[in-house]
């Protein structure tokens, strides 16, 4: 899709709705980190179209330690050292990446609109007070070792979202769908 005019979360959610609405009347919407915040906003904006949420280490509510904001800022102006630190915080167990790879990873992030996205994040748009209005049931999955957005944020999301489930995945970080796909699939397919 085309880049949005701005990267505020409500604008991103409206863009997702525009992409989905004509294709099917209702969806299961999944989001990780900022994508979880967008999914929550979409569920609030389009309750008839979001039948279920899957939130993986989701942003969108206050994180009082400042860790999430600090980590986002590191990606807004990436350097090799900032990216290495971000990766260390994001994973339960880091694996060695050859030094020659890091400059191209930094260049790839710098080529994206990451700075614009981070700059558009607005604490005034956090959803703490609106979680009670989310109608879709939510499966919340969280890596126990996430040092980007701590697991207590997931616990607070769970308390705020009626009918939600929370699965904390041991020995897993901020990107459980990548680092720990088997427990993610198991949690989503368990009946």
């Amino acid at each position: 899709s085309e880049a949005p005019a701005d990267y505020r979360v409500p604008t991103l959610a409206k863009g997702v709705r525009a992409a989905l609405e004509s294709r099917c009347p209702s969806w299961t919407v999944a989001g990780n980190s900022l994508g979880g915040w967008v999914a929550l906003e979409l569920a609030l904006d389009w309750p008839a179209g979001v039948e279920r949420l899957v939130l993986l280490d989701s942003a969108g509510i206050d994180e009082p330690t400042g860790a999430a904001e600090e980590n986002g800022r590191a990606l807004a102006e990436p350097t090799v050292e900032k990216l290495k630190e971000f990766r260390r915080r994001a994973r339960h167990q880091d694996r060695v990446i050859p030094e020659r790879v890091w400059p191209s990873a930094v260049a790839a992030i710098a080529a994206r609109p990451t700075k614009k996205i981070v700059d558009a994040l607005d604490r005034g748009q956090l959803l703490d007070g609106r979680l009670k209005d989310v109608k879709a049931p939510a499966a919340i999955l969280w890596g126990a070792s996430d040092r980007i957005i701590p697991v207590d944020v997931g616990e607070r999301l769970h308390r705020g979202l009626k009918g939600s489930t929370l699965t904390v995945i041991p020995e897993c970080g901020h990107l459980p769908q990548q680092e720990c796909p088997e427990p993610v699939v198991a949690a989503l397919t368990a009946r």
Side-chain angles (χ1 to χ4, degrees):
S1 63
E2 292 183 25
D6 71 69
Y7 289 94
R8 292 175 296 151
V9 170
T11 305
L12 296 174
K14 286 182 185 349
V16 172
R17 179 177 179 171
L20 300 179
E21 196 166 23
S22 66
R23 289 172 173 78
C24 188
S26 64
W27 295 82
T28 294
V29 180
N32 172 241
S33 198
L34 175 59
W37 187 354
V38 172
L40 282 163
E41 182 71 37
L42 180 65
L44 287 162
D45 179 57
W46 188 34
V50 179
E51 67 182 31
R52 182 175 182 217
L53 287 166
V54 178
L55 304 171
L56 300 114
D57 296 71
S58 179
I61 63 172
D62 188 36
E63 193 284 292
T65 70
E69 191 171 337
E70 176 188 337
N71 288 304
R73 290 270 159 228
L75 291 178
E77 298 178 6
T79 65
V80 169
E81 288 312 311
K82 287 180 183 178
L83 200 54
K84 284 180 178 181
E85 180 61 17
F86 182 90
R87 182 174 169 78
R88 187 188 67 72
R89 291 179 182 177
R91 295 186 60 84
H92 170 73
Q93 187 170 19
D94 207 4
R95 63 177 197 256
V96 176
I97 294 178
E99 286 299 316
R100 69 181 183 282
V101 172
W102 290 104
S104 60
V106 168
I109 290 172
R112 297 178 188 150
T114 309
K115 182 167 179 18
K116 289 180 182 178
I117 293 167
V118 172
D119 288 346
L121 298 178
D122 179 352
R123 293 184 60 76
Q125 295 172 346
L126 291 170
L127 302 174
D128 299 71
R130 298 178 61 206
L131 291 178
K132 66 186 180 320
D133 299 326
V134 174
K135 304 295 183 224
I140 303 167
L141 295 97
W142 221 274
S145 302
D146 187 352
R147 291 170 304 232
I148 303 295
I149 303 176
V151 71
D152 68 292
V153 173
E155 293 164 351
R156 287 186 13 249
L157 268 174
H158 176 52
R159 288 192 300 272
L161 292 170
K162 293 179 287 200
S164 67
T165 60
L166 172 63
T167 304
V168 177
I169 303 169
E171 299 182 0
C172 194
H174 184 65
L175 305 166
Q177 69 278 14
Q178 291 177 4
E179 189 175 9
C180 311
E182 293 86 4
V184 169
V185 171
L188 294 176
T189 57
R191 298 248 173 207

